[in-house]
Amino acid sequence: MKTNLLNYTLEDLANYFESIGEKKFRAKQVFRWMHVYGVSNFEDMTDIAKSLRAKLQDLAEVAVPKLVTEKLASDGVYKWALEVGNGNKIETVFIPDAGRGTLCVSSQVGCALECQFCSTGRQGFNRNLTAGEIVGQLWWANKRLGKDPKGEKIVTNVVMMGMGEPLANYENVVKAMRVMLDDNAYNLSKRKLTLSTSGMISALDKLAFDCPVSLAISLHASNNEVRDKIIPLNKKYPIEDLLAACKRYLDNSPKDYVTFEYVMLKGVNDDLAYAHELIKLVKNIECKFNLIPFNPFPNSGFECSAFGHILKFQKVLQNAGLITTIRKTRGEDIDAACGQLVGKVVDKTKRQQKWALLSV
Ligand code: SAH
Ligand code: SF4
């Protein structure tokens, strides 16, 4: 089987070149062709010696995941489905906004964590994405969207908020993020690359040293009783431990605050008393809140809080001096909003069967 060079950081690629008897420094040229110019065919890497191109053609490939569908929502949001083998598909979403364009990248086929309000969680889990499949999503988005008339890239920000729990696929996600940050590749700044996690503390501590990027935490509850019910992982990593880990992370973070995401679930976590509880909970940590209106999916069993109520919840937090935004729901008409990504997961965990039985 050929070696997929898309899985490699620049350092990996240099080592690979050495292993095939080439000079390490040649790796940079090939790396730039792949990631800066979006070239996947060695033939087209015109300033590389012909002999090296032929050798690479024999031994290696730049295997980008196959783009199978593209949907464009009325508000300019794109959703792409990419084929990742064995009938599995993942989804990537692009969200244009004033002055920036954010790409929402998937890290796994499905998710093993079963947060109750998330349709990806309901799909079950198949496998981790490779580093090449993660970077491949940014590769495609740049290819499709290119640059604006001023020559600036359309994709300016990346959030690891698509399908899957990025910290559960630690090695590959870190490799992929290193490529995204590399100035010989996508040259993103650490402030414009955000990883969202439901709270895998052990990996979070490592991330602070291996690849500190901006951090978003799916908090979604102000106490363990509520959080245990909606995020099963909380039983392993309870809120107080999670907050302590966030504080440790801030010592190395490119931003001096953590963003707490809070999905608004009617009658579950949206009582104003919980907003007051949150204020006490986070009083020792620099943070911002992002309230996410719950995006429904079939048989979810949840409802979104009324918008007027979300505003009241926001006001309580704001009155305590906490910067609190409400996430605009985007791409709704193509099911591209937060928590609605399902791709096509050939479910190894048989979770879909379990849910089908429960909803009878
Ligand atoms: N696994 C990571 C990142 C992917 S989910 C995590 O859980 O953080 C990205 C965000 O969407 C998370 O904050 C998640 O809790 C939220 N989310 C999941 N399902 C949702 C839904 N149906 N409506 C609104 N937000 C949802
Ligand atoms: Fe997985 Fe995140 Fe969905 Fe939870 S919210 S099931 S961690 S993708």
Side-chain angles (χ1 to χ4, degrees):
M1 211 164 100
K2 290 187 173 182
T3 303
N4 183 8
L5 303 189
L6 213 59
N7 283 323
Y8 288 161
T9 61
L10 182 51
E11 196 187 342
D12 295 337
L13 192 63
N15 291 335
Y16 173 74
F17 269 50
E18 195 173 43
S19 77
I20 61 167
E22 294 293 330
K23 294 264 183 300
K24 271 184 154 189
F25 73 87
R26 296 240 182 274
K28 190 153 111 185
Q29 266 172 303
V30 172
F31 197 67
R32 289 182 65 85
W33 274 113
M34 291 192 290
H35 299 295
V36 178
Y37 304 110
V39 169
S40 57
N41 184 345
F42 298 119
E43 248 333 278
D44 297 335
M45 301 184 178
T46 44
D47 63 356
I48 311 271
K50 270 219 162 92
S51 56
L52 175 54
R53 277 191 263 162
K55 190 174 193 177
L56 288 174
Q57 210 124 32
D58 272 352
L59 301 173
E61 62 184 346
V62 183
V64 278
K66 197 167 150 241
L67 185 64
V68 278
T69 53
E70 172 177 282
K71 287 187 180 161
L72 176 58
S74 53
D75 60 0
V77 165
Y78 279 91
K79 182 168 82 170
W80 295 290
L82 300 171
E83 164 79 57
V84 288
N86 295 329
N88 288 307
K89 291 190 181 70
I90 50 151
E91 293 180 341
T92 307
V93 174
F94 173 73
I95 308 138
D97 227 324
R100 66 160 185 243
T102 305
L103 191 71
C104 181
V105 167
S106 293
S107 56
Q108 298 182 307
V109 184
C111 185
L113 293 182
E114 280 191 88
C115 300
Q116 297 294 296
F117 47 82
C118 173
S119 63
T120 304
R122 294 272 176 102
Q123 293 300 303
F125 174 70
N126 189 280
R127 68 167 173 87
N128 284 329
L129 293 180
T130 62
E133 288 164 340
I134 299 168
V135 165
Q137 298 170 61
L138 180 55
W139 188 95
W140 265 119
N142 277 328
K143 190 105 181 149
R144 286 289 298 120
L145 302 171
K147 296 186 173 168
D148 67 13
K150 284 195 212 137
E152 304 287 342
K153 275 197 193 138
I154 303 277
V155 179
T156 58
N157 295 51
V158 170
V159 291
M160 300 299 301
M161 291 189 189
M163 299 169 67
E165 165 52 51
L167 293 185
N169 181 14
Y170 186 81
E171 298 279 320
N172 294 340
V173 164
V174 165
K175 267 189 196 297
M177 293 199 306
R178 285 190 174 145
V179 177
M180 292 176 186
L181 297 170
D182 198 312
D183 50 8
N184 284 299
Y186 302 93
N187 197 19
L188 279 180
S189 86
K190 286 178 178 167
R191 296 177 61 81
K192 293 186 173 181
L193 173 55
T194 302
L195 181 141
S196 172
T197 176
S198 54
M200 299 196 66
I201 295 176
S202 50
L204 197 53
D205 279 328
K206 278 184 74 181
L207 187 72
F209 292 95
D210 292 341
C211 191
V213 294
S214 303
L215 181 64
I217 297 282
S218 294
L219 190 60
H220 304 328
S222 56
N223 61 54
N224 287 320
E225 202 191 332
V226 177
R227 200 164 189 269
D228 278 349
K229 282 192 199 133
I230 55 177
I231 304 180
L233 186 70
N234 194 65
K235 294 190 191 112
K236 185 166 179 199
Y237 298 123
I239 289 189
E240 53 286 3
D241 295 354
L242 178 57
L243 292 183
C246 290
K247 265 184 95 72
R248 291 194 294 276
Y249 190 88
L250 282 182
D251 290 340
N252 267 359
S253 167
K255 283 195 183 136
D256 56 6
Y257 63 89
V258 174
T259 302
F260 289 123
E261 299 161 279
Y262 199 97
V263 64
M264 298 300 295
L265 303 167
K266 187 176 186 175
V268 176
N269 66 353
D270 69 345
D271 198 295
L272 296 184
Y274 292 143
H276 289 285
E277 200 171 32
L278 281 175
I279 295 166
K280 286 198 200 112
L281 190 71
V282 303
K283 70 173 185 298
N284 290 320
I285 181 159
E286 289 299 321
C287 63
K288 289 185 184 173
F289 274 86
N290 193 208
L291 306 179
I292 315 177
F294 169 67
N295 292 307
F297 54 89
N299 300 321
S300 77
F302 292 102
E303 273 178 73
C304 183
S305 316
F307 193 68
H309 185 76
I310 300 179
L311 287 174
K312 282 187 197 152
F313 200 93
Q314 179 190 34
K315 200 92 225 134
V316 173
L317 298 177
Q318 283 177 334
N319 285 345
L322 292 165
I323 294 176
T324 307
T325 49
I326 300 176
R327 188 174 294 171
K328 254 195 293 175
T329 293
R330 302 285 306 270
E332 229 174 348
D333 49 340
I334 55 166
D335 287 340
C338 298
Q340 290 186 319
L341 301 187
V342 290
K344 183 169 188 314
V345 180
V346 179
D347 179 15
K348 288 205 293 204
T349 51
K350 303 277 182 277
R351 199 173 306 146
Q352 285 162 42
Q353 287 169 20
K354 190 179 95 187
W355 279 105
L357 287 173
L358 288 176
S359 61
V360 171

